[in-house]
Amino acid sequence: MYILCYANKISINGKKSRTSTHTCCNTFVEQSNESFTNNADNSSNNTLIGCNVKSCVNNAGTVCVLSNIGVTTSAPITNAASETYCSSFKCK
């Protein structure tokens, strides 16, 4: 199952990560009452993917060079940003 992210700015953290599971989506907001709040600016289709993972090949300063990324979890129910990780991470 895929869930779409509606944020127009995404921030991935994990400065010294060596694996994807050491990263996290700092933009993650816990779902409440079985619904999500769309905090996107719908006037633009461009999503900024901020990347603070210096060890990732897709990091260009503080921005991800990919046009889209995968963020996933191994938890049955995700309650915190620390339970997420960037599955698009590739170590340098």
Side-chain angles (χ1 to χ4, degrees):
M1 174 173 67
Y2 290 98
I3 297 175
L4 297 177
C5 175
Y6 293 101
N8 60 349
K9 293 180 183 174
I10 299 169
S11 177
I12 302 298
N13 288 340
K15 287 187 180 186
K16 297 180 181 180
S17 298
R18 303 311 287 162
T19 66
S20 63
T21 56
H22 291 122
T23 65
C24 73
C25 179
N26 199 46
T27 316
F28 175 82
V29 176
E30 184 180 359
Q31 181 178 350
S32 63
N33 298 327
E34 300 298 323
S35 65
F36 289 98
T37 300
N38 183 345
N39 62 352
D41 174 2
N42 291 322
S43 63
S44 172
N45 289 331
N46 297 326
T47 297
L48 173 65
I49 304 172
C51 181
N52 295 312
V53 186
K54 304 294 183 194
S55 56
C56 183
V57 298
N58 299 312
N59 180 300
T62 59
V63 177
C64 182
V65 299
L66 299 175
S67 59
N68 58 62
I69 63 168
V71 174
T72 192
T73 183
S74 57
I77 297 174
T78 307
N79 296 309
S82 62
E83 296 175 342
T84 65
Y85 63 91
C86 179
S87 57
S88 301
F89 170 86
K90 290 190 177 145
C91 193
K92 290 181 182 179

